[in-house]
Amino acid sequence: MEILGDTNVDFMGLKKYAFVFSGILSLLGIIAVIGMFLGYANIGIDFGGGTAVQVKFDKPVRIDTAREALSKNGIEDAELQEFPMDNKLLVRLKNVIAADEHAADKVISIFRQEFPDNNLVVDTSMEIGPTVGKKLQKNAITAVVLSMIGIIIYIAFRFELRFGIAAAIATFHDVLAVMGIFFILGKEMNLLIVTALLTLAGYSLTDTVVVFDRIREYLRLRRKDPIEVIINNGINHVLSRTIITSLTTALVLVALV
């Protein structure tokens, strides 16, 4: 299926602009990684340690009312997420706040004290110490690094070593770009984001393999053509497929939202 027909975009002619743009995104990603280690990034409790408590009330509780109740009792920087359909409230306390070993019990006690006529049930309660958080952070980085090594080995076996290195760089670039954007926007970095990044790497690799396969075919059939022409033809030939794959993924994400 083709939605664009035959295209003839000079991608290689735009390579200088692409290098600059990609370089900026990669730099932001590197800054994000450094910021995570130095504590400047918005680290979730998965990596930084802390407490998460999800409670279910019999009657609805407004999120601003719950935040005011916590603030009045000494918990001022809690992160709250509301699930109004089920009368549920998720409270996250990062490690700086949750120095008390019984932070979860304190939150529950405050809610019961402030809302005595609204019975609550604890759905989930999780406490992660800073040591465990650091270990999870290390494991997440290890997972990304190992996936990059796996990409190089797979592409090198499927094509050539140079293709494998190029695919790993391209995939790592995509991961860094997203991390950089999240860092600039102040979004929280947690295990869910790591899962999303690995999924992104999978999509990126799949598309890269398709493009490389077409380029390899043209390298074999059109040996006299300049490499720029071969690369342009390879990308243009699968451009519709790339766009369709991206749109399909976007539609799924819209449905989830």
Side-chain angles (χ1 to χ4, degrees), residues 122-142:
V122 180
D123 272 358
T124 58
S125 178
M126 176 180 66
E127 294 190 10
I128 300 177
T131 303
V132 176
K134 290 292 183 182
K135 184 177 180 180
L136 290 174
Q137 184 176 338
K138 181 180 178 181
N139 289 344
I141 295 174
T142 302

Side-chain angles (χ1 to χ4, degrees), residues 24-253:
I24 293 173
L25 291 178
S26 298
L27 180 61
L28 289 176
I30 294 172
I31 293 174
V33 173
I34 295 174
M36 288 180 63
F37 281 106
L38 297 181
Y40 296 119
N42 184 9
I43 303 296
I45 64 173
D46 297 333
F47 297 146
T51 301
V53 185
Q54 181 170 296
V55 296
K56 180 177 181 180
F57 292 93
D58 285 345
K59 294 178 287 187
V61 174
R62 292 175 57 87
I63 192 170
D64 53 348
T65 305
R67 182 176 286 108
E68 182 180 351
L70 293 172
S71 179
K72 186 170 64 174
N73 289 273
I75 301 179
E76 299 182 354
D77 297 324
E79 297 178 3
L80 279 73
Q81 184 176 356
E82 187 179 14
F83 304 95
M85 295 294 294
D86 300 317
N87 295 335
K88 293 183 179 181
L89 196 66
L90 176 62
V91 182
R92 294 190 184 93
L93 307 175
K94 292 191 176 180
N95 192 55
V96 176
I97 305 168
D100 187 354
E101 293 182 1
H102 307 289
D105 294 337
K106 184 176 181 180
V107 170
I108 297 168
S109 176
I110 290 173
F111 282 155
R112 284 176 173 160
Q113 174 186 330
E114 295 294 328
F115 311 113
D117 298 327
N118 194 352
N119 187 45
L120 66 85
V121 177
V122 180
D123 272 358
T124 58
S125 178
M126 176 180 66
E127 294 190 10
I128 300 177
T131 303
V132 176
K134 290 292 183 182
K135 184 177 180 180
L136 290 174
Q137 184 176 338
K138 181 180 178 181
N139 289 344
I141 295 174
T142 302
V144 174
V145 172
L146 289 178
S147 66
M148 295 300 110
I149 296 174
I151 288 171
I152 294 176
I153 295 174
Y154 169 72
I155 301 296
F157 175 77
R158 175 79 184 272
F159 298 97
E160 299 176 20
L161 179 59
R162 59 176 179 171
F163 282 96
I165 295 174
I169 293 174
T171 305
F172 196 55
H173 158 269
D174 293 343
V175 172
L176 283 177
V178 174
M179 288 185 65
I181 293 172
F182 266 70
F183 179 73
I184 293 297
L185 296 177
K187 298 297 183 179
E188 185 178 271
M189 300 284 188
N190 51 39
L191 287 176
L192 187 61
I193 297 301
V194 174
T195 304
L197 290 175
L198 292 175
T199 304
L200 170 70
Y203 271 100
S204 176
L205 177 62
T206 300
D207 192 62
T208 300
V209 168
V210 173
V211 174
F212 279 3
D213 188 59
R214 186 61 60 187
I215 291 175
R216 181 180 62 173
E217 181 181 349
Y218 285 159
L219 283 172
R220 185 173 62 252
L221 298 177
R222 305 176 182 179
R223 296 182 179 181
K224 295 182 179 180
D225 289 350
I227 187 64
E228 291 82 2
V229 174
I230 291 176
I231 293 175
N232 276 333
N233 289 337
I235 298 175
N236 278 291
H237 192 87
V238 298
L239 187 58
S240 291
R241 184 257 179 207
T242 299
I243 294 176
I244 291 172
T245 302
S246 301
L247 288 177
T248 304
T249 305
L251 289 174
V252 174
L253 294 176

